Each structure stands twice: as structure tokens, then as C-alpha cells.
Amino acid sequence: MMTMMPSFQLAARKQQRLSSLLLLLLPTAGRALSTSSSSSNTPIINHLLNRPQLTHSYYALRHGQSLANVAKIISSDPQISTVQHGLSDVGRDQAALAGEMFAKQHLNHNNDTSNEDGTSFNEQYEGVAIFSSDFTRARETATLFSQQLQLHSSPSSCPIYTNNIVLQTKLRERYFGELNGGPDDQYQKVWDVDCTDPNHTQFGVEAANYVLERTTGLVLELEELLSSFGGDEQKKKKKWKVVLVAHGDVLQIMQTGFLRHEDASRHRSLEHLETATIRELTLL
């Protein structure tokens, strides 16, 4: 806690400490926006804004109900959330069901020839690639989801990229600064400012535009990574179904990127993504 001092000194000291902490906790992509602005008058916020198309199919999967959800607290500090606040029993069931439903809808043999062009899943897709935030609740969701995919399909019909989930810090929860650990009804304080200033860092939070920059930048990285995966040219031409397992704010902000919004100011106008809900992300 901070030592009491005159209000103007307290505000300055508080902002300085929060800014320093934010830089330490955020992945490097979350800082790219601020550093790029020093060399350009038009820093990149949405990397998908001028992208003509994407090779792979992307799906957002929010983690299942977590212990932090049950306790109704904000859990956004990587030093805590990567080791605590895993899934509740309800959340584990939700995550498993999400995997089962995805397998039935996208991989089920009965639907193999239901594509508009008459091709099967194996003819059109290389497999499923699962990338997850390294926060405990997301990691556990991704693991259960992957297990159900494999349970409800054969290895040959549903290859998993690297045969495992891939942890990705750029999918971490948005950092909520001094609100971390507090009641989750405090989210609204941040969202109210987001809609008018997506660059704000009030309460020491990670700016919504930083989240947009790091997540859409990740999509471009995955486009290149997955397109180059495989031993021959025929495989390289195949697409992957890419499941991104993360958090409510992060995924809704990323969705504004797919909708080609210039910034993240409208992320709360999108339909709320409930726990363990999967949503296809289509580039408009």
C-alpha cells in the first residue's frame, strides 16, 4: 500500500508505480503500440484492418467458469493467475462439453461431406490448432477441450497441431491494474471509459487498444506459422481450424479486429461471450 502524502504527489507517485508495473506484466506485444508511436504518427492498432483475407479459420473460446468467477473477483495479474484461479467443477464440465460440441459440429464423420464444395474435413483442413492463454483457467479449458476433440474423433480425422495445446502469452487476460483482486463489478468503471478513450490506462489498466494490437498481431503471426507448417507443398495449401482460448475482454476486443474496427472502443457493444462459449471469428 502507498504512504499518505499530499494529493497531487500521491496521484503522480501512484500513476508512476502503476505504469511501471504494467510494463513489467504485459507481454512485449502489449507495449508495441506505445513504442511504435514514437517513430510514426499513425501507430498500428488493428493489424487486420487492411488485411484482404485470412488463410485459416479462427474460433474464440472463452475459458470455463473459474474459481475467480465464483468468488466474483478480478483475476488479471500473471504472477497470481498463472498458478491460481483454475476451473470450478462447473467450468470443467463446460470446457469438456465445448470440446465435444466442436467435434460433433466440425469433425463428425457424418458431416464430412457437408462442405459446400463437397470436400471432407481432411481434404480441406490440416487439423485443429489450439492456442491458449497461460492463465490457469484458460490452460485447463484448452486441455479439456483438446481431450474431448480427440475422444470424439480419430487421430487421423482430427490431427492436433504439435499434438498438444500451445501456450501464448499474447492471449493473457487484459491487466486491470489496481482493480485486480477486487470485486468484478469494478469492470464497468473501465468499460465506461473504453468507449470514449480506448487508449486510457485509468486505474493502471492495460489500454483496450494495446489488447487489440497484441491479439490481432498474434493472428498474423499464426497465419505465417501455420501456413509454413508441413513437409510438402500440398500440405502447406491446407487450412487449419484455429481455436484461441482466452478471456472475455481479450476475445471481444480481438473480435473488433476481425470486424475491421479502427480501434477497440466498441468492444462492449458486441454480444457478451459467456464462459466456455466458442464463437467463430470471421474477417469482414
Side-chain angles (χ1 to χ4, degrees), residues 72-87:
K72 296 185 179 301
I73 61 172
I74 295 174
S75 176
S76 68
D77 183 346
Q79 296 182 32
I80 298 172
S81 303
T82 55
V83 293
Q84 297 181 28
H85 302 150
L87 296 180

Side-chain angles (χ1 to χ4, degrees), residues 232-259:
D232 55 55
E233 290 303 316
Q234 184 178 4
K235 280 192 172 183
K236 290 180 182 180
K237 292 178 182 178
K238 283 190 178 181
K239 300 188 294 183
W240 289 84
K241 284 186 178 288
V242 185
V243 180
L244 304 173
V245 187
H247 312 267
D249 248 36
V250 170
L251 292 173
Q252 291 199 193
I253 290 172
M254 180 168 58
Q255 188 181 0
T256 67
F258 279 80
L259 296 174

Side-chain angles (χ1 to χ4, degrees), residues 39-53:
S39 59
S40 171
N41 292 326
T42 56
I44 296 174
I45 298 173
N46 179 4
H47 290 277
L48 301 179
L49 190 60
N50 297 314
R51 181 83 176 192
Q53 62 184 15

Side-chain angles (χ1 to χ4, degrees), residues 1-280:
M1 297 295 116
M2 298 184 181
T3 305
M4 296 301 295
M5 58 182 69
S7 59
F8 73 93
Q9 292 181 359
L10 176 62
R13 179 74 59 84
K14 190 175 185 181
Q15 185 60 45
Q16 183 180 28
R17 285 187 176 181
L18 287 171
S19 297
S20 298
L21 180 60
L22 184 60
L23 288 174
L24 287 172
L25 293 177
L26 294 180
T28 54
R31 302 196 293 266
L33 184 61
S34 61
T35 56
S36 64
S37 62
S38 63
S39 59
S40 171
N41 292 326
T42 56
I44 296 174
I45 298 173
N46 179 4
H47 290 277
L48 301 179
L49 190 60
N50 297 314
R51 181 83 176 192
Q53 62 184 15
L54 295 173
T55 300
H56 308 288
S57 299
Y58 292 86
Y59 300 84
L61 172 60
R62 186 183 172 193
H63 62 79
Q65 184 192 70
S66 71
L67 297 177
N69 293 141
V70 174
K72 296 185 179 301
I73 61 172
I74 295 174
S75 176
S76 68
D77 183 346
Q79 296 182 32
I80 298 172
S81 303
T82 55
V83 293
Q84 297 181 28
H85 302 150
L87 296 180
S88 66
D89 289 340
V90 170
R92 295 181 66 82
D93 290 342
Q94 289 177 330
L97 181 59
E100 178 182 348
M101 296 303 296
F102 189 86
K104 290 180 177 179
Q105 294 172 7
H106 296 273
L107 312 176
N108 194 305
H109 291 295
N110 294 330
N111 296 327
D112 272 353
T113 58
S114 63
N115 295 319
E116 291 183 2
D117 60 2
T119 60
S120 69
F121 175 85
N122 290 89
E123 291 173 326
Q124 189 174 7
Y125 289 95
E126 181 69 19
V128 178
I130 305 172
F131 295 87
S132 173
S133 159
D134 62 344
F135 278 26
T136 306
R137 55 192 185 268
R139 255 188 357 252
E140 292 179 354
T141 298
T143 299
L144 290 165
F145 180 87
S146 177
Q147 289 173 350
Q148 288 299 311
L149 284 189
Q150 296 173 75
L151 180 63
H152 291 276
S153 60
S154 66
S156 60
S157 67
C158 179
I160 303 295
Y161 175 74
T162 71
N163 296 316
N164 207 342
I165 64 172
V166 181
L167 299 182
Q168 175 52 254
T169 58
K170 292 178 184 178
L171 291 173
R172 281 178 172 176
E173 174 65 290
R174 179 184 185 184
Y175 182 61
F176 280 90
E178 65 186 63
L179 303 180
N180 187 70
D184 60 10
D185 59 5
Q186 299 299 296
Y187 282 129
Q188 194 62 50
K189 290 182 176 181
V190 178
W191 296 337
D192 286 344
V193 186
D194 284 348
C195 62
T196 57
D197 181 11
N199 288 313
H200 85 89
T201 57
Q202 288 191 35
F203 315 106
V205 305
E206 179 184 9
N209 275 349
Y210 283 162
V211 178
L212 179 60
E213 193 279 331
R214 66 171 160 99
T215 54
T216 56
L218 173 62
V219 171
L220 294 193
E221 291 177 20
L222 297 182
E223 281 285 289
E224 182 176 352
L225 175 68
L226 295 172
S227 295
S228 63
F229 183 83
D232 55 55
E233 290 303 316
Q234 184 178 4
K235 280 192 172 183
K236 290 180 182 180
K237 292 178 182 178
K238 283 190 178 181
K239 300 188 294 183
W240 289 84
K241 284 186 178 288
V242 185
V243 180
L244 304 173
V245 187
H247 312 267
D249 248 36
V250 170
L251 292 173
Q252 291 199 193
I253 290 172
M254 180 168 58
Q255 188 181 0
T256 67
F258 279 80
L259 296 174
R260 298 187 190 276
H261 292 185
E262 292 187 353
D263 60 37
S265 60
R266 290 177 283 170
H267 72 96
R268 292 310 300 175
S269 68
L270 305 181
E271 181 181 358
H272 180 63
L273 192 63
E274 299 290 348
T275 53
T277 298
I278 193 161
R279 176 179 295 170
E280 184 169 6

